[in-house]
Amino acid sequence: MTDAGAQSDKLGEVARLASLMADRILEAQIMERPIPQEQLNALVNAAWLLQDHDVPWPPLVEEVLQEAGRRMNQGETAPEAADPEPEDDGAPAGLTRFFSGFRRR
């Protein structure tokens, strides 16, 4: 397998896992359960990675990110999801910047 093929397979797996994470987040919203910050961070990081490699976001990922961005812009996000400090692992905890300026390719 070529390097390009291996990279494509890995990005496909990232897209698949991002869809699964988006599904969990959507389920939590429907059940009115809190969304763990780690899940939202993982979804945003996956979206950034896909975007950086010009891989289209799966529809559910796009839907969940747009809804989260809308809620953040309207101030509906729970305090733990709006924490502006970065996590220890470097993941963005303050997501307003991402949601206000993300672009879909």
Side-chain angles (χ1 to χ4, degrees), residues 73-95:
N73 287 336
Q74 293 179 354
E76 296 176 21
T77 305
E80 64 273 7
D83 182 4
E85 297 298 319
E87 297 290 326
D88 291 339
D89 64 359
L95 302 174

Side-chain angles (χ1 to χ4, degrees), residues 58-71:
L60 189 56
V61 171
E62 184 172 0
E63 180 182 333
V64 168
L65 288 176
Q66 286 179 347
E67 177 63 17
R70 184 191 65 75
R71 288 179 181 215

Side-chain angles (χ1 to χ4, degrees), residues 65 68-70 72-73 95-103:
L65 288 176
R70 184 191 65 75
M72 288 186 78
N73 287 336
L95 302 174
T96 305
R97 206 171 4 112
F98 174 76
F99 289 126
S100 66
F102 82 87
R103 62 192 185 284

Side-chain angles (χ1 to χ4, degrees), residues 5-28:
Q7 182 176 0
S8 177
D9 289 347
K10 290 177 183 178
L11 291 170
E13 181 68 2
V14 169
R16 185 185 75 77
L17 293 172
S19 290
L20 291 173
M21 186 60 61
D23 185 57
R24 285 186 178 191
I25 290 170
L26 185 59
E27 179 183 346

